[in-house]
Amino acid sequence: MSEEKSLNFIEEIVEADLSSGKYQSIVTRFPPEPNGYLHIGHAKSICLNFGLANKYGGKTNLRFDDTNPVTEDTEYVESIKDDVRWLGFNWAEERYASDYFEQLYGFAIKLIEKGLAYVDDSTSEAIAQQKGTPTQAGTNSPFRDRSVAENLELFKAMRAGQFKDGEKVLRAKIDMAHPNMHMRDPIIYRIKHAHHHRTGDQWCIYPMYDFAHGQSDAIENITHSVCTLEFIPHRALYDWFIEQLEIFPSKQYEFARLNMTYTVMSKRKLLQLVNEKYVNGWDDPRMSTISGMRRRGYTAEAIREFCDRIGIAKRDNLIDVGLLEFCVREHLNKIAVRRMVVFDPLKVVLTNYEGEGEVLWSENNPEDATAGNREIPFSKELYIERDDFMEVAPKKYFRLAPGQMVRLKSAYIIRCDEVVKDANGIITELHCTYIPESKSGSDTSGINVKGTLHWVSARHAVKAEVRLYDRLFKVEDVGNAEGDFKDHINTDSLEIINNAYAEPALAADSSDNRYQFLRKGYFCLDKDSTTEKLVFNRTVTLKDTWAKEVKKG
Ligand code: ATP
Ligand code: MG
């Protein structure tokens, strides 16, 4: 795209802050909680945060927001790092909110000393009661007026492990009648005797999200802390803590999270799909995870292009997954090497073909002059696709039929002379003649045919399994569909073709190649592939067949 793109609203803020001299350079962060694998929604946040720093010459930290010991794991930390790198971004520093536990504890002490936090013995039910409702003021906790000295002593005892889970919490002392419910004396520390994936058993009190996030931003001198819209009501609290603690004035900005048709995107739901075995792991090619998309053959370039095209909005919306597939197709068309694979083989015997066979050539990618050519063996016995033949063909059927001619891609024109069947009437092979003068590239036959078929040489072909994927959900807006999201799973989302034949060039290729199987779609090699059996994933179809089906239905 050559035309100048207009700035999104966050870029406008950044440009204003730079030109006013408020900042000399910007610092952003991507702050995943390591409680699952990253999904395409995170990719949007990654592209935004790293994109801002790249564009304006700043830096981006990767910060693991690991303040919840129960759901987090180092497996997730590693997968997140892999995915961010694969998407093409480098972080300035790798940070962990848990590295700040001591500092955060100090911040809590400071609040207590300022008379702005207190230890509360109320039960969680009582605290919920005290909160009031959006239209009704809350009520003060009976523990709200403890002295600073008592609060300090109790908070230290909380840290020392003298209480059980839930026995006490630390709350900020703000205003129980505040119109923003988040400002009604929010809990900032809770007791949790749980093992943490990094700090082990060092702590039994953990800061709440609101007491960790903004302060971590401030510790790292984050200038623009970008998050999704649901944090708008948290912003007042974010600012309040920073002001009271007199720390670096990070600012929070919110944009609309990515929602996509036929897809779920919350880690909690994705975890259910994995645990309840609706899919084969976090990197199942049907998942909306980065690792699933990578395994399916999506490219980082295509995902970045998609994130760029959807832009940054201030209102929630639902993006058509077809747009992502469009971006994938557009990129793969440029880089995928062309190959021939027959999914449902029907044997063709060329009765007039003599000799051992020959080597033909075909270009790897007509879209890319530098991609070169490949060898394709041709011989007397070939396979074509069973559904490229019809014994009784309608008018305007341009594929193979008795007495009819087609071109075999990059090879010869053949004519079908005879149909051979077994005792049950199933067609077992076709006897055809080939036209020697019709060789692609030096065709002097003068014969014009309308149909071109893909094919493989029977003797040279290699066996392959091909996995075809469909949408994992049957409804467009899964998030707002009735009932449980799992009620809407498409149980036919995986079709396995296990008797395909691939041209031999595929056996020798490197694992990260992307392919266009002629007339079939875009494919990549799966990690389940072995030297005995190639396994391919269909990345995306050649055209948006789904859009048509929906209209027909
Ligand atoms: P989930 O609900 O999937 O667990 P989350 O927001 O809890 O998502 P985090 O690990 O806390 O996940 O998110 C890391 C960053 O990614 C946050 O800044 C968050 O706002 C952003 N993010 C998460 N989901 C999306 C999405 N669908 N679109 C855009 N940004 C997202
Ligand atoms: Mg979260």
Side-chain angles (χ1 to χ4, degrees):
M1 281 183 291
S2 56
E3 115 198 34
E4 183 98 2
K5 278 190 67 178
S6 59
L7 298 180
N8 66 51
F9 76 95
I10 296 178
E11 290 171 332
E12 279 172 6
I13 292 166
V14 169
E15 291 203 357
D17 286 348
L18 288 171
S19 63
S20 74
K22 181 174 177 189
Y23 299 119
Q24 299 308 310
S25 70
I26 62 162
V27 186
T28 61
R29 87 289 172 260
F30 173 63
E33 185 181 350
N35 62 349
Y37 282 60
L38 297 183
H39 50 64
I40 183 76
H42 292 113
K44 179 174 173 177
S45 172
I46 291 168
C47 288
L48 174 60
N49 281 297
F50 284 89
L52 284 171
N54 288 345
K55 182 167 176 181
Y56 295 105
K59 63 171 197 168
T60 305
N61 288 347
L62 174 62
R63 184 197 318 140
F64 292 96
D65 212 335
D66 57 349
T67 54
N68 184 359
V70 186
T71 53
E72 295 161 2
D73 202 323
T74 43
E75 176 198 343
Y76 298 135
V77 169
E78 292 309 314
S79 76
I80 289 169
K81 293 202 284 186
D82 264 6
D83 288 347
V84 175
R85 264 190 231 111
W86 179 78
L87 276 172
F89 298 105
N90 297 306
W91 50 90
E93 283 166 57
E94 177 181 332
R95 298 293 189 98
Y96 294 81
S98 57
D99 289 345
Y100 308 141
F101 279 166
E102 194 63 54
Q103 251 167 307
L104 295 171
Y105 177 80
F107 288 153
I109 296 282
K110 180 165 177 180
L111 278 191
I112 294 172
E113 285 169 348
K114 288 180 84 171
L116 294 172
Y118 60 96
V119 173
D120 196 335
D121 304 359
S122 306
T123 63
S124 55
E125 295 77 21
I127 290 175
Q129 280 284 317
Q130 294 158 17
K131 278 263 165 179
T133 69
T135 51
Q136 223 174 9
T139 49
N140 286 352
S141 161
F143 303 96
R144 199 172 196 262
D145 294 319
R146 277 181 161 148
S147 69
V148 168
E150 190 184 3
N151 281 319
L152 281 175
E153 190 184 326
L154 285 172
F155 188 51
K156 284 175 185 163
M158 279 169 66
R159 176 183 185 169
Q162 292 177 19
F163 307 110
K164 291 203 277 292
D165 287 9
E167 245 177 55
K168 289 190 169 33
V169 293
L170 184 71
R171 295 175 73 177
K173 191 171 180 177
I174 308 179
D175 179 2
M176 289 308 290
H178 200 286
N180 179 342
M181 301 273 288
H182 290 273
M183 301 294 277
R184 295 184 187 171
D185 290 11
I187 297 174
I188 58 180
Y189 265 91
R190 66 210 153 131
I191 301 170
K192 215 164 212 164
H193 292 270
H195 189 84
H196 185 280
H197 73 111
R198 294 188 87 239
T199 56
D201 298 317
Q202 211 181 319
W203 292 88
C204 62
I205 55 170
Y206 290 94
M208 301 299 284
Y209 171 90
D210 285 317
F211 198 71
H213 201 91
Q215 284 87 321
S216 302
D217 284 344
I219 290 168
E220 295 174 25
N221 287 1
I222 302 298
T223 55
H224 299 81
S225 174
V226 182
C227 62
T228 41
L229 294 181
E230 68 274 22
F231 290 100
I232 289 177
H234 296 251
R235 195 199 311 139
L237 191 52
Y238 181 105
D239 291 339
W240 189 87
F241 285 133
I242 283 180
E243 200 187 319
Q244 300 307 328
L245 294 167
E246 298 160 84
I247 50 183
F248 183 85
S250 300
K251 285 282 172 197
Q252 173 183 305
Y253 301 96
E254 310 86 9
F255 71 102
R257 63 171 45 234
L258 169 65
N259 298 303
M260 208 162 64
T261 56
Y262 302 102
T263 309
V264 296
M265 237 183 277
S266 111
K267 282 178 280 185
R268 191 178 51 80
K269 289 179 181 167
L270 295 173
L271 182 63
Q272 280 182 61
L273 294 176
V274 173
N275 285 347
E276 295 167 34
K277 307 229 179 320
Y278 289 99
V279 294
N280 303 311
W282 283 99
D283 68 347
D284 186 297
R286 291 165 292 181
M287 292 277 272
S288 62
T289 52
I290 307 290
S291 53
M293 291 185 175
R294 169 165 44 167
R295 183 170 175 191
R296 183 159 172 166
Y298 286 21
T299 60
E301 288 89 334
I303 293 175
R304 293 199 305 261
E305 172 68 18
F306 168 73
C307 292
D308 197 42
R309 278 181 189 238
I310 55 179
I312 305 301
K314 282 189 194 177
R315 289 263 173 83
D316 275 319
N317 55 6
L318 185 64
I319 302 285
D320 185 349
V321 68
L323 179 62
L324 175 58
E325 292 172 349
F326 170 86
C327 294
V328 171
R329 232 177 247 125
E330 196 181 51
H331 186 225
L332 292 183
N333 185 41
K334 289 188 204 132
I335 63 159
V337 295
R338 275 52 173 175
R339 295 289 183 259
M340 295 197 281
V341 178
V342 172
F343 286 12
D344 184 10
L346 173 59
K347 188 173 264 186
V348 165
V349 180
L350 303 176
T351 51
N352 63 334
Y353 192 89
E354 304 299 336
E356 273 300 288
E358 62 193 291
V359 173
L360 303 175
W361 293 85
S362 190
E363 49 192 348
N364 277 322
N365 185 353
E367 302 287 323
D368 177 4
T370 66
N373 296 309
R374 70 190 192 277
E375 296 183 354
I376 323 177
F378 185 83
S379 66
K380 188 179 179 74
E381 296 196 351
L382 314 168
Y383 291 123
I384 63 165
E385 212 67 70
R386 187 166 280 274
D387 68 6
D388 278 337
F389 174 77
M390 271 184 106
E391 200 173 6
V392 182
K395 263 191 203 161
K396 296 205 172 170
Y397 183 76
F398 298 125
R399 291 179 267 168
L400 203 56
Q404 206 159 298
M405 292 203 235
V406 292
R407 172 169 293 284
L408 298 178
K409 172 73 181 169
S410 300
Y412 297 92
I413 293 175
I414 63 168
R415 184 186 60 228
C416 176
D417 304 319
E418 191 188 347
V419 181
V420 181
K421 296 180 185 174
D422 65 12
N424 300 317
I426 306 284
I427 299 172
T428 53
E429 57 186 52
L430 304 176
H431 289 176
C432 299
T433 44
Y434 86 112
I435 315 297
E437 313 78 59
S438 68
K439 187 168 173 174
S440 288
S442 57
D443 183 358
T444 56
S445 69
I447 302 169
N448 259 323
V449 293
K450 287 233 168 85
T452 300
L453 306 186
H454 63 278
W455 55 276
V456 294
S457 165
R459 187 153 51 88
H460 303 92
V462 288
K463 279 258 197 164
E465 174 180 313
V466 180
R467 300 176 181 168
L468 307 178
Y469 302 101
D470 199 348
R471 310 262 196 261
L472 189 53
F473 292 91
K474 292 178 292 191
V475 295
E476 212 172 47
D477 192 354
V478 189
N480 290 312
E482 243 174 72
D484 188 82
F485 77 100
K486 286 173 289 178
D487 298 344
H488 305 289
I489 289 179
N490 172 12
T491 49
D492 296 321
S493 57
L494 170 61
E495 183 189 349
I496 297 179
I497 311 267
N498 44 37
N499 194 32
Y501 284 96
E503 63 168 280
L506 277 164
D509 262 343
S510 83
S511 63
D512 47 337
N513 262 348
R514 301 301 202 287
Y515 306 103
Q516 185 191 100
F517 291 173
L518 289 183
R519 304 170 66 219
K520 291 289 185 190
Y522 292 100
F523 292 81
C524 69
L525 207 60
D526 188 75
K527 68 176 187 188
D528 290 346
S529 221
T530 63
T531 43
E532 279 76 53
K533 190 167 199 181
L534 299 174
V535 179
F536 294 100
N537 295 316
R538 183 170 68 197
T539 308
V540 67
T541 53
L542 287 176
K543 295 213 173 70
D544 190 353
T545 50
W546 183 271
K548 260 182 278 161
E549 274 164 43
V550 170
K551 277 188 205 110
K552 260 192 289 173

